[in-house]
Amino acid sequence: MEVDAIIIGAGACGLMCAVQAGYLGKKVIILEKGAKPGAKILISGGGRCNYTNLLSSTEQFISGNKHFAKSAFNQWTVYDTISFFEVNGITGKEKTLGQLFPDGKNAKDVVAMFVDLCQDLGQEIRCNAEVDSVRKVEDGFEVEYHQHSATHVLRASKVVIATGGLPIPKMGATDFALRLARKHQINVVETAPALVPLTITGKDEEWYAQLAGNSVFCEVSNAEISFEENILFTHWGLSGPSILQISSFWRPGQTININLLPHENISTLIEQERNQQGKTLLSTLLNRLYTKKLTEALGKYLPLNKPVAALTKVEIAEIHRTIHQFVVKPAGDKGYDKAEVMRGGIDTAELSSKSLECKKVPGLYFGGECVDVTGWLGGYNFQWAWASGFVIAQHL
Ligand SMILES: Cc1cc2nc3c(=O)[nH]c(=O)nc-3n(C[C@H](O)[C@H](O)[C@H](O)COP(=O)(O)OP(=O)(O)OC[C@H]3O[C@@H](n4cnc5c(N)ncnc54)[C@H](O)[C@@H]3O)c2cc1C
């Protein structure tokens, strides 16, 4: 055995795992198929890397077992992430809703921090090294990989699968973890794109397309959950933070509800306007709340050219319904090309929540996005990647 463990994937989880293992005096090798480590960290948060969230708890994660991640989050908290980054020269700045970004630095600095730490600790990151198979042998594992068309084999008693999820195939995302799991009869929870824009087709397509580029603060909800952030109209449907958030809870065929005025009541605003200036047109009132384009588009449903004093009770009820309960039936989502994360993955029932070791295959660990623990938008997914990487390192 040349090393204590082989880590497959130099993403957020694999890099954190290598660094933490190094602190404990363990020698690891990371095998990374890409030409450089941390490719997804580099594009995260629009290149600024929203690396954790101050509000993080298990509440902001979707998983077959809501309690599974508790142990990892107790072992590695948000404050551990913050101080780890600080000690290594990156202080955090909250943008909104607890989202922490590097202050005056960016995603490149985050990757550089991990690469430097790996170097200082003597942990090798071998790039352009795509793993083809992991075989159980008597005293551990044989990992076969190819690098520049030559095939190599490495052996270690422990192997960490940190190969991420399916989003952004053109960046080299693979289903390696899922394939390996199935080969070892490890259950995989059905996967799907999450934090992904939603599409609208058919008769409503044009209505949305005319609004492309318009953004509005909304409450977006379904029977399960609601989010208050902006939505963005696009040529093919809906995007923006609150749509990405609800997409993780949406299933094909379902509707979502959009409240276009979450903190006010349109019926009350109409009533007040009637009392002050009854001649005001409904369009004038709506133009105070929305872009001109959105008001015009709402004209498909509302009597924009009527003075508020002339609106009937039925019309006001209809306006109220349209503004506060705008029902959308998405045709689908934009798929893994545009998704930020993958929902589902390695069934948590197959793993120890304390160590993330596979119950059926001792010595094999799964961490990060390939596991059925999916965070909301806002730095939660990195918090899971760091925490799971830390936890695994404690057991190598
Ligand atoms: C556009 C975008 C923006 C995002 N922004 C944020 C954000 O701001 N905040 C946040 O919390 N989350 C964000 N995310 C999600 C976050 O990037 C992921 O949840 C996180 O990177 C998962 O870490 P990971 O280590 O599990 O996987 P990854 O970071 O995906 O790393 C997996 C690595 O494994 C390698 N690999 C795969 N198969 C093999 C193989 N067979 N052999 C060798 N190597 C292999 C891959 O090349 C990759 O480098 C964003 C995602 C996207 C797509």
Side-chain angles (χ1 to χ4, degrees), residues 43 58 105 118 142 215 245 265 350 357:
I43 59 159
T58 45
K105 297 198 173 184
C118 282
E142 239 176 39
S215 160
Q245 298 280 32
N265 183 321
E350 301 279 4
E357 186 173 18

Side-chain angles (χ1 to χ4, degrees), residues 9 11-13 32-33 44-45 50 129 131 162-164 174 340 368-369 379 381-382:
C13 175
E32 166 55 52
K33 86 184 264 276
S44 67
N50 176 197
V131 174
T163 49
T174 73
E340 283 205 6
E369 193 177 326
N381 285 295
F382 277 139

Side-chain angles (χ1 to χ4, degrees), residues 8-14 31-34 38-41 43-45 49-51 129-131 162-165 167-168 171-172 174 176 339-341 367-370 378-383 385:
I8 309 177
C13 175
L31 298 175
E32 166 55 52
K33 86 184 264 276
K40 273 208 185 145
I41 300 176
I43 59 159
S44 67
C49 186
N50 176 197
Y51 65 91
E130 177 165 6
V131 174
T163 49
I168 327 274
M171 281 182 67
T174 73
F176 182 80
E340 283 205 6
V341 281
E369 193 177 326
C370 65
Y380 299 104
N381 285 295
F382 277 139
Q383 183 57 26

Side-chain angles (χ1 to χ4, degrees), residues 234-288:
T234 70
H235 288 287
W236 34 259
L238 287 169
S239 188
S242 51
I243 293 297
L244 299 188
Q245 298 280 32
I246 202 84
S247 73
S248 301
F249 297 84
W250 176 82
R251 300 291 179 274
Q254 293 179 347
T255 56
I256 55 174
N257 192 66
I258 300 183
N259 180 349
L260 289 159
L261 196 60
H263 293 170
E264 287 180 277
N265 183 321
I266 191 69
S267 308
T268 311
L269 293 184
I270 290 172
E271 193 53 40
Q272 284 167 354
E273 195 64 26
R274 275 155 88 106
N275 293 338
Q276 284 163 19
Q277 188 55 264
K279 284 184 191 152
T280 304
L281 299 181
L282 179 62
S283 60
T284 309
L285 180 62
L286 293 182
N287 274 331
R288 291 180 202 150

Side-chain angles (χ1 to χ4, degrees), residues 166-202:
L166 296 170
I168 327 274
K170 70 169 188 270
M171 281 182 67
T174 73
D175 64 349
F176 182 80
L178 310 178
R179 270 190 283 126
L180 182 73
R182 288 182 184 119
K183 207 169 151 212
H184 287 91
Q185 278 79 48
I186 296 165
N187 192 43
V188 171
V189 174
E190 193 186 350
T191 55
L195 300 182
V196 62
L198 298 174
T199 58
I200 309 280
T201 54

Side-chain angles (χ1 to χ4, degrees), residues 197-201 204-214 231-240 243 258 328 330-332 334:
L198 298 174
T199 58
I200 309 280
T201 54
D204 293 331
E205 192 175 343
E206 251 178 60
W207 190 84
Y208 287 87
Q210 69 178 327
L211 284 167
N214 283 258
I231 64 167
L232 173 69
F233 292 90
T234 70
H235 288 287
W236 34 259
L238 287 169
S239 188
I243 293 297
I258 300 183
V328 179
K334 290 293 272 183

Side-chain angles (χ1 to χ4, degrees), residues 288-311:
R288 291 180 202 150
L289 306 169
Y290 306 118
T291 59
K292 206 161 172 269
K293 193 84 196 154
L294 178 54
T295 300
E296 266 170 36
L298 287 169
K300 180 178 174 194
Y301 307 104
L302 308 176
L304 291 184
N305 295 325
K306 260 196 158 181
V308 288
L311 292 169

